[in-house]
Amino acid sequence: MYVCGITPYDATHLGHAATYLTFDLIQRYLRAAGSHVNYVQNITDIDDPLLERAKRDGVNWQDLATSQIELFRSDMVALRVIPPLHYIGAVEAIPLVVKAIELLSAKGSTYLIDKDLYFENNLVSDFGALSHLDKKEMESIFSQRGGDPLLIGKRDSLDCLVWMAQRPGEPGWQSTLGVGRPGWHIECTAIAYEYLSPNSDDDELIDIQGGGSDLIFPHHEMCRTQAQVLTGKELASVYVHAGMLGLDGEKMSKSKGNLVFVSQLIADGVDPMVIKYALMMSHYRQDRMWTHEVLEQAQLEVANLKSALGAKSQAATDSVISEIIQALADDLNTPRALSALQSWSTQCRNGETGGDLSAMRNCLDSLLGLDF
Ligand code: 5CA
Ligand code: ZN
């Protein structure tokens, strides 16, 4: 499973948390079912937006990245997210990126504009099969998400930058492609290619490619196309995209600045398990809003659950555990799982007995990552 990681600034807002919790639920379910999960996540620790933010704030870009990665990691620990097996930064992956670009070039799918190297994605016949957007929409989203559809010299407006020659005042790394740095999409393609057994006999390179739905286009479309040229294979058997979390009617995003930070909520005294519970109250694929009411409802439900777990005896647990497993198997239907937990809490409050407390605690911990 490859999940697109953070660009380390403005971390960790609740939108990030919602997305990584989704993939944590997948990892937990697969592990509980007996699978070994090779979970890889990147960190985009060199890219235009990071450099722009460091410049705006007058700080060193590496210091900004290091401090934000630390914050992200401590937030993930507080939320009891199981870390990926491989957690790879773009900077450390530069040799892999260069190798991948060399392979793309050997297949004739790159070209130069000045000293920058571009990938020609039209060479793959079903380009667009992931996002199903028409070309005008693609061009519009591409320019909003760091692309350059209008750049003169491109063979196609949607071709993407894979190696950017060093700009004055910006960092660059020596390579066979000249001194420069990786483009965004190739970073994830190269890391997935290296860490997720490209030599297996499967028709697809990996099982699950994931991230938020804002990555469907251009990011995952471009990664998929690059992987196809590199390997002749589909990048993933399943593409999983979490819906966007919003605040005050708009997507929570760094560019709009309407962010609620996990670390701020925790500093304000909110229990991380309540944050997690609140994010699981809605379905991961749904675009949804973060509101005070959502947090209050989660506080109430967690209190119910804690009092059920703290009671002298508990209502029967077998059927509720089985309902939780079935709910998660049903495309991670967390609202259904939490509603089963609330019914069980009510049964406990009504004095029903016959349950196995440690089985329930194990279920909460292993499948939902909840510990009270
Ligand atoms: N570094 C790239 C991916 S390679 C990136 O998109 N970084 S990010 O910091 O902008 O986002 C990190 C992850 O959080 C991505 O998977 C993104 O899709 C997800 N994400 C960003 N904003 C939201 C949001 N409002 N709701 C849900 N998920 C979000
Ligand atoms: Zn990515």
Side-chain angles (χ1 to χ4, degrees):
M1 176 162 79
Y2 184 92
V3 177
C4 283
I6 57 163
T7 303
Y9 69 98
D10 278 345
T12 310
H13 67 63
L14 285 175
H16 300 144
T19 289
Y20 297 114
L21 277 177
T22 298
F23 292 95
D24 189 51
L25 289 171
I26 295 177
Q27 150 135 283
R28 284 173 183 277
Y29 187 92
L30 292 172
R31 283 184 172 207
S35 296
H36 165 79
V37 185
N38 183 4
Y39 179 5
V40 181
Q41 195 180 120
N42 69 307
I43 314 159
T44 308
D45 59 359
I46 182 68
D47 202 9
D48 291 344
L50 176 67
L51 295 177
E52 282 159 19
R53 175 58 63 94
K55 200 169 171 186
R56 189 198 82 176
D57 294 352
V59 294
N60 173 287
W61 66 273
Q62 285 154 309
D63 293 343
L64 174 62
T66 306
S67 64
Q68 292 287 300
I69 292 165
E70 272 317 301
L71 183 60
F72 173 71
R73 293 177 80 145
S74 61
D75 289 339
M76 290 300 109
V77 169
L79 293 173
R80 302 188 86 243
V81 166
I82 301 174
L85 195 60
H86 299 287
Y87 187 46
I88 310 293
V91 171
E92 69 180 293
I94 285 175
L96 306 178
V97 171
V98 169
K99 196 172 79 180
I101 297 173
E102 284 171 346
L103 278 172
L104 291 176
S105 299
K107 290 174 190 272
S109 68
T110 62
Y111 60 94
L112 279 170
I113 300 181
D114 295 331
K115 287 180 178 168
D116 297 334
L117 205 56
Y118 276 77
F119 169 70
E120 194 174 3
N121 53 43
N122 265 351
L123 297 179
V124 169
S125 58
D126 68 347
F127 177 78
L130 190 61
S131 55
H132 303 291
L133 298 167
D134 68 32
K135 184 134 188 184
K136 279 254 155 319
E137 289 172 308
M138 284 185 183
E139 285 172 342
S140 158
I141 301 174
F142 191 46
S143 68
Q144 291 161 31
R145 309 252 162 94
D148 48 9
L150 299 175
L151 184 75
I152 291 167
K154 290 178 85 168
R155 292 185 188 161
D156 185 276
S157 57
L158 297 173
D159 289 347
C160 67
L161 181 68
V162 284
W163 187 258
M164 184 190 202
Q166 186 174 25
R167 304 293 195 258
E170 289 190 0
W173 286 264
Q174 185 69 52
S175 82
T176 51
L177 311 167
V179 182
R181 59 181 163 99
W184 174 26
H185 315 300
I186 192 68
E187 159 198 350
C188 287
T189 313
I191 297 172
Y193 179 68
E194 176 75 16
Y195 284 90
L196 290 155
S197 58
N199 298 320
S200 78
D201 295 332
D202 298 341
D203 291 340
E204 297 88 9
L205 199 57
I206 64 181
D207 293 314
I208 301 171
Q209 157 81 328
S213 60
D214 57 340
L215 298 184
I216 298 173
F217 192 86
H219 188 48
H220 288 173
E221 194 78 71
M222 301 292 182
C223 293
R224 171 182 184 267
T225 309
Q226 289 167 349
Q228 253 167 357
V229 173
L230 277 177
T231 66
K233 290 183 180 194
E234 181 67 38
L235 174 60
S237 318
V238 192
Y239 295 87
V240 180
H241 293 106
M244 289 293 107
L245 194 77
L247 184 76
D248 302 330
E250 283 196 283
K251 174 194 163 189
M252 211 175 267
S253 75
K254 295 166 168 178
S255 51
K256 292 201 189 81
N258 57 340
L259 307 175
V260 178
F261 295 102
V262 171
S263 51
Q264 189 58 53
L265 283 176
I266 296 174
D268 292 344
V270 181
D271 178 350
M273 291 301 103
V274 170
I275 301 174
K276 187 166 184 167
Y277 192 101
L279 293 171
M280 291 195 290
M281 279 177 4
S282 40
H283 192 260
Y284 80 91
R285 265 192 295 109
Q286 206 73 45
D287 287 342
R288 48 221 161 110
M289 287 295 147
W290 179 259
T291 62
H292 194 63
E293 289 72 38
V294 170
L295 185 60
E296 277 184 348
Q297 182 64 26
Q299 267 156 344
L300 204 76
E301 296 196 14
V302 165
N304 286 343
L305 192 53
K306 274 181 162 175
S307 95
L309 294 166
K312 275 207 194 79
S313 60
Q314 280 73 30
T317 39
D318 280 2
S319 58
V320 62
I321 291 173
S322 137
E323 169 67 5
I324 291 169
I325 293 168
Q326 284 176 43
L328 291 171
D330 175 20
D331 194 17
L332 296 184
N333 193 338
T334 51
R336 183 176 146 195
L338 298 189
S339 143
L341 275 175
Q342 288 305 307
S343 305
W344 177 77
S345 303
T346 307
Q347 290 162 4
C348 295
R349 195 167 51 244
N350 291 343
E352 291 187 31
T353 56
D356 178 344
L357 178 61
S358 70
M360 183 50 114
R361 284 199 176 279
N362 276 342
C363 164
L364 290 173
D365 179 15
S366 61
L367 289 171
L368 298 173
L370 290 172
D371 184 38
F372 301 109

